Amino acid sequence: PPKKYKNTHQEKTTREPMSVSDEVLDQARMQQMEQREQEVDSMIRSNRYASAVQTALSNPPLGTKNQDIKTRNSAIVARALNAVPEKDAEIKKVVDSLEPELEDHLMKYIYRILGEASSCGAMLKWHKVLMAKSGLGCIVRAITDRKSV
């Protein structure tokens, strides 16, 4: 008779409880995000768009599995991007001020916001300008990176 093998790949049907360290990290991430949100809003009010976008993109919550944190941070980035006037020259100024790491984060957020089907026209303009500066490598890194935003 054929041997029966134990199924070692089982789908998890229940959510694993968060460890204490994950909870502490998520609380710290939430506090950082609230502070970053206040800074971004202040910069938007004073028309410092490049600084607002840079601040919104800095230190994204890549290590968390908490979707609420990722969604809220995405909203902060979307607010900063949508505050920039939708002229290619204005968007280009902001994109030119970004470091390569922030460009990769921006591309990830552009795809996330496009996936939510919000402000698609504006995001396509951002995509065009960022693509012109960073090339295909930025797109490949954004799509293939396992750490999502």
Side-chain angles (χ1 to χ4, degrees):
K3 291 184 178 180
K4 291 187 179 180
Y5 293 98
K6 185 177 179 182
N7 184 1
T8 56
H9 178 70
Q10 296 176 355
E11 288 188 33
K12 296 178 183 177
T13 56
T14 60
R15 191 172 174 191
E16 291 181 16
M18 289 179 62
S19 69
V20 174
S21 61
D22 286 343
E23 288 180 26
V24 170
L25 283 172
D26 280 350
Q27 287 174 354
R29 286 181 182 112
M30 190 64 85
Q31 289 173 348
Q32 288 176 346
M33 194 170 38
E34 289 169 357
Q35 181 181 4
R36 187 169 48 248
E37 184 174 25
Q38 291 171 357
E39 290 174 21
V40 167
D41 287 342
S42 172
M43 291 172 190
I44 290 171
R45 283 192 298 277
S46 59
N47 296 331
R48 295 180 8 226
Y49 303 121
S51 297
V53 171
Q54 289 172 356
T55 302
L57 292 172
S58 65
N59 196 18
L62 298 175
T64 187
K65 295 177 183 173
N66 186 329
Q67 290 303 311
D68 294 335
I69 291 176
K70 290 185 177 200
T71 300
R72 185 165 175 198
N73 200 70
S74 178
I76 295 168
V77 172
R79 191 163 51 249
L81 295 177
N82 287 324
V84 177
E86 284 192 42
K87 297 176 187 161
D88 286 352
E90 292 291 327
I91 294 172
K92 186 175 181 340
K93 283 183 204 174
V94 175
V95 170
D96 286 343
S97 72
L98 297 177
E99 297 290 322
E101 181 181 10
L102 294 182
E103 292 171 2
D104 290 350
H105 294 325
L106 175 57
M107 189 62 80
K108 287 180 182 183
Y109 278 109
I110 288 171
Y111 286 131
R112 179 180 176 115
I113 295 166
L114 283 170
E116 295 168 356
S118 61
S119 59
C120 292
M123 291 305 108
L124 290 174
K125 285 183 181 184
W126 279 94
H127 188 277
K128 179 179 92 173
V129 173
L130 183 57
M131 168 70 181
K133 180 185 179 202
S134 303
L136 288 175
C138 185
I139 294 173
V140 172
R141 287 187 297 275
I143 292 173
T144 59
D145 192 357
R146 300 189 83 170
K147 294 180 179 177
S148 65
V149 291

